[in-house]
Amino acid sequence: MPIELPDLPYPRTALEPHITAATLDLHHGVHHRAYVDAARRLLEGSGLEELALEDIVRRARGRLFEQAAQAWNHAFHWTCLSPRGGGEPGGRLGDLLARRYGDFPRFRDEFAHAALGLAGSGWAWLVQHPDGSPGIVVTHGASTPLTGAGTPLLACDLWEHAYYLDRQDARDRYLEAFWNVVDWEAAGKRLR
Ligand SMILES: [Fe+2]
């Protein structure tokens, strides 16, 4: 099953001014494409060619794992953003976050604290643990909660390529922009 570069689920200018078209062109069109291309090359002869991308990520090791995981992480990340995003989650996700973190601003502060505490490149995630509770997870490099027991609900790319054109090295300002385009409806639909 070939690994594909998915189209962005919105026009390249749709997330402006929070995330610019220039950043999406670079991030999706160059970086994400490079992960897909490398994963496809490394997949040849691996014995995993017939698997879906999620299963390749769960089974692969080494370079193939890194490139395939980044291909999946990015495809997932794009679906976490929306020009109609922002605000606060409602419904069951809103209730779960309020129960775990007290209120939404406190969740956001904890997420930002975890994201800003990561040295180097990686991802910040909202996951649903097997017991149903929500949790914040930060992963290094290409590592992804897809290989663990929890269900990924939301991903924030913390590699500098996600924000340096728009925010230089100010990860805190990128996170503020991220909250304006988070697709809480999509995150809520991922709950088990
Ligand atoms: Fe990225």
Side-chain angles (χ1 to χ4, degrees), residues 85-147:
E88 300 188 10
R92 195 153 69 92
L93 180 57
D95 291 344
L96 285 171
L97 292 181
R99 201 178 310 157
R100 170 69 180 78
Y101 297 98
D103 55 29
F104 180 70
R106 202 169 306 170
F107 158 74
R108 208 172 44 191
D109 286 349
E110 285 204 28
F111 191 96
H113 183 74
L116 294 173
L118 173 75
S121 299
W123 297 79
W125 308 81
L126 174 63
V127 302
Q128 186 180 27
H129 296 304
D131 68 2
S133 67
I136 297 164
V137 174
V138 170
T139 57
H140 285 270
S143 295
T144 172
L146 190 61
T147 57

Side-chain angles (χ1 to χ4, degrees), residues 10-25:
Y10 28 73
R12 52 193 283 285
T13 56
L15 304 181
E16 292 189 336
H18 310 294
I19 296 174
T20 63
T23 286
L24 286 183
D25 288 347

